Amino acid sequence: MIFEDFSKIGIIPVVVLDDSQQAAPLAEVLCKNGLPCAEVTFRTSAAEESIRIMSREFPDMLVGAGTVLTIEQADRAINAGAKFIVSPGLNPKVVQHCLDNSVPVTPGTQTPSEMERALELGLKVVKFFPAEPAGGLNMIKAVAAAYVDLKFMPTGGISAKNVKEYLAYNKIIACGGSWMVKKDLVNAGEWDKIAALVREAADIVKDVRG
Ligand code: 3PG
């Protein structure tokens, strides 16, 4: 079950790749340093090929697609090997398409109405986006009191400084974040710096969740 894997990994690196040649070295750094997972965002034309490369060369890695806004993008991601789909908002058509194809999907939500829509579609886990500007952990705790069966994947504005508090709350499956895989570091090929940030993030997960 993919959400159990999310829970074990604890932090989902959100990556924006300008060049699919960055996919394999980045995947290697993530796998070797304790976060064997990536949400590859469909914000660049390299996303689809990057997912294909990561899935093929690192079959044990949990590779998914982010910023999926259309059914067409979802299909391209799934065909390339994406094991999960994430989007910034809740598009019922995209969600239903993923469910029809048995692909786990985590749409972004921010308001109670959006969360109820997700529940109505049969989801048990939603992304909470953008987490910090939308009220952070306090907001999640407030809505979680009402939606007792719903779990959250907060993303947006999370970093090594505040991720601990999020991870400590039992309604949070995992946190998404880009701080350990920043685009400028990836583009500069700063793999050692990325490795250190990934290790730091993985150590925080271990610290909080054992
Ligand atoms: C994003 O949309 O880029 C993700 O939510 C990551 O947000 P972050 O860059 O604040 O970690």
Side-chain angles (χ1 to χ4, degrees):
M1 178 59 174
I2 208 141
F3 293 120
E4 281 164 21
D5 294 335
F6 277 164
S7 187
K8 268 184 222 143
I9 297 169
I11 295 173
I12 313 301
V14 177
V15 307
V16 182
L17 294 179
D18 285 327
D19 183 344
S20 62
Q21 293 215 357
Q22 297 161 334
L26 178 61
E28 187 176 355
V29 169
L30 290 167
C31 290
K32 279 195 176 155
N33 291 282
L35 297 181
C37 181
E39 176 192 321
V40 182
T41 57
F42 263 69
R43 294 177 203 175
T44 64
S45 56
E48 183 180 352
E49 184 59 14
S50 299
I51 290 170
R52 186 168 290 113
I53 291 169
M54 287 181 174
S55 308
R56 189 180 59 220
E57 296 186 21
F58 299 85
D60 294 334
M61 185 179 174
L62 198 54
V63 182
T67 323
V68 172
L69 306 180
T70 63
I71 287 176
E72 186 255 338
Q73 285 177 331
D75 281 338
R76 281 168 48 207
I78 294 163
N79 289 333
K83 297 191 184 99
F84 63 92
I85 299 290
V86 179
S87 54
L90 192 158
N91 178 327
K93 286 186 199 156
V94 172
V95 170
Q96 195 56 56
H97 184 72
C98 292
L99 293 175
D100 290 345
N101 287 280
S102 305
V103 176
V105 56
T106 312
T109 62
Q110 196 180 99
T111 65
S113 299
E114 290 155 1
M115 291 168 197
E116 287 187 25
R117 188 76 179 100
L119 285 168
E120 187 175 50
L121 286 161
L123 300 181
K124 303 237 181 304
V125 179
V126 289
K127 172 169 162 172
F128 179 62
F129 177 79
E132 280 289 297
L137 188 54
N138 282 341
M139 173 69 174
I140 295 177
K141 286 187 174 171
V143 287
Y147 306 122
V148 291
D149 292 329
L150 199 57
K151 299 248 166 101
F152 299 87
M153 204 168 86
T155 306
I158 298 181
S159 70
K161 290 194 185 76
N162 59 5
V163 72
K164 216 175 201 164
E165 292 82 58
Y166 281 96
L167 290 173
Y169 183 47
N170 67 357
K171 294 295 178 83
I172 289 176
I173 293 236
C175 294
S178 68
W179 79 89
M180 75 303 283
V181 286
K182 282 282 175 226
K183 203 172 146 161
D184 51 347
L185 291 180
V186 173
N187 283 339
E190 299 261 27
W191 305 119
D192 290 346
K193 278 191 191 158
I194 295 172
L197 290 165
V198 171
R199 239 184 346 261
E200 178 192 39
D203 285 346
I204 296 173
V205 177
K206 224 181 279 163
D207 229 36
V208 181
R209 296 192 163 169

Short mmCIF file of all heavy atoms in Angstrom, two decimals, residues 14 43 67 127 129 155-158 176-179 182, ligand 1:
data_model
loop_
_atom_site.label_atom_id
_atom_site.label_comp_id
_atom_site.label_asym_id
_atom_site.label_seq_id
_atom_site.Cartn_x
_atom_site.Cartn_y
_atom_site.Cartn_z
N VAL A 14 9.94 16.98 -3.50
CA VAL A 14 9.22 17.52 -4.66
C VAL A 14 10.25 18.11 -5.61
O VAL A 14 10.94 19.07 -5.26
CB VAL A 14 8.21 18.61 -4.22
CG1 VAL A 14 7.51 19.21 -5.43
CG2 VAL A 14 7.19 18.03 -3.24
N ARG A 43 6.00 20.41 -14.29
CA ARG A 43 6.15 21.84 -14.56
C ARG A 43 7.17 22.07 -15.66
O ARG A 43 7.36 23.19 -16.10
CB ARG A 43 6.62 22.57 -13.29
CG ARG A 43 5.59 22.53 -12.20
CD ARG A 43 6.12 23.18 -10.93
NE ARG A 43 5.37 22.67 -9.81
CZ ARG A 43 5.62 22.96 -8.55
NH1 ARG A 43 6.61 23.78 -8.25
NH2 ARG A 43 4.90 22.43 -7.59
N THR A 67 2.09 18.12 -9.64
CA THR A 67 1.55 19.19 -10.49
C THR A 67 0.82 18.62 -11.71
O THR A 67 0.95 19.11 -12.83
CB THR A 67 2.64 20.20 -10.93
OG1 THR A 67 3.58 20.38 -9.85
CG2 THR A 67 2.03 21.56 -11.22
N LYS A 127 -3.60 15.97 -0.01
CA LYS A 127 -2.50 16.91 0.18
C LYS A 127 -3.10 18.17 0.81
O LYS A 127 -4.26 18.51 0.53
CB LYS A 127 -1.90 17.21 -1.20
CG LYS A 127 -0.87 18.30 -1.25
CD LYS A 127 -0.19 18.27 -2.62
CE LYS A 127 0.53 19.57 -2.90
NZ LYS A 127 1.35 19.51 -4.11
N PHE A 129 -2.32 22.01 0.79
CA PHE A 129 -1.43 22.86 0.01
C PHE A 129 -2.00 24.25 -0.18
O PHE A 129 -3.19 24.39 -0.46
CB PHE A 129 -1.20 22.21 -1.37
CG PHE A 129 -0.35 23.04 -2.27
CD1 PHE A 129 1.03 23.07 -2.13
CD2 PHE A 129 -0.93 23.82 -3.28
CE1 PHE A 129 1.83 23.84 -2.97
CE2 PHE A 129 -0.13 24.60 -4.11
CZ PHE A 129 1.24 24.60 -3.96
N THR A 155 2.21 20.12 2.18
CA THR A 155 3.30 20.49 1.28
C THR A 155 3.23 21.99 1.03
O THR A 155 2.14 22.54 0.88
CB THR A 155 3.13 19.77 -0.09
OG1 THR A 155 3.02 18.38 0.14
CG2 THR A 155 4.31 20.02 -1.00
N GLY A 156 4.38 22.62 0.98
CA GLY A 156 4.42 24.06 0.69
C GLY A 156 4.87 24.83 1.92
O GLY A 156 4.11 24.93 2.90
N GLY A 157 6.10 25.32 1.88
CA GLY A 157 6.61 26.10 3.01
C GLY A 157 7.17 25.26 4.13
O GLY A 157 7.45 25.76 5.22
N ILE A 158 7.33 23.95 3.88
CA ILE A 158 7.88 23.08 4.92
C ILE A 158 9.39 22.95 4.68
O ILE A 158 9.85 22.95 3.55
CB ILE A 158 7.16 21.71 4.89
CG1 ILE A 158 5.69 21.94 5.20
CG2 ILE A 158 7.80 20.75 5.91
CD1 ILE A 158 4.85 20.70 5.23
N GLY A 176 5.48 16.84 2.07
CA GLY A 176 6.18 17.08 0.81
C GLY A 176 7.03 18.33 0.96
O GLY A 176 6.70 19.23 1.73
N GLY A 177 8.13 18.36 0.21
CA GLY A 177 8.95 19.57 0.27
C GLY A 177 10.07 19.53 -0.75
O GLY A 177 10.49 18.45 -1.18
N SER A 178 10.51 20.72 -1.11
CA SER A 178 11.56 20.80 -2.13
C SER A 178 12.89 21.26 -1.55
O SER A 178 13.86 21.37 -2.28
CB SER A 178 11.12 21.78 -3.23
OG SER A 178 11.07 23.09 -2.70
N TRP A 179 12.92 21.50 -0.21
CA TRP A 179 14.10 22.16 0.33
C TRP A 179 15.38 21.34 0.16
O TRP A 179 16.46 21.91 0.08
CB TRP A 179 13.88 22.54 1.80
CG TRP A 179 14.02 21.43 2.80
CD1 TRP A 179 15.17 21.05 3.43
CD2 TRP A 179 12.98 20.57 3.30
NE1 TRP A 179 14.90 19.99 4.28
CE2 TRP A 179 13.57 19.68 4.23
CE3 TRP A 179 11.60 20.45 3.06
CZ2 TRP A 179 12.85 18.70 4.90
CZ3 TRP A 179 10.87 19.47 3.73
CH2 TRP A 179 11.49 18.62 4.63
N LYS A 182 16.55 21.49 -4.07
CA LYS A 182 16.34 22.80 -4.72
C LYS A 182 16.86 22.80 -6.15
O LYS A 182 17.93 22.26 -6.45
CB LYS A 182 17.06 23.89 -3.92
CG LYS A 182 16.33 24.31 -2.68
CD LYS A 182 15.17 25.25 -3.01
CE LYS A 182 14.32 25.60 -1.81
NZ LYS A 182 12.89 25.50 -2.09
C1 3PG B 1 5.69 22.98 -4.65
O1 3PG B 1 4.59 23.24 -5.11
O2 3PG B 1 6.75 23.36 -5.16
C2 3PG B 1 5.71 22.10 -3.48
O3 3PG B 1 4.55 22.26 -2.78
C3 3PG B 1 6.88 22.31 -2.63
O4 3PG B 1 6.75 23.46 -1.91
P1 3PG B 1 8.06 24.01 -1.22
O5 3PG B 1 8.96 24.46 -2.35
O6 3PG B 1 7.58 25.15 -0.36
O7 3PG B 1 8.67 22.90 -0.43
#
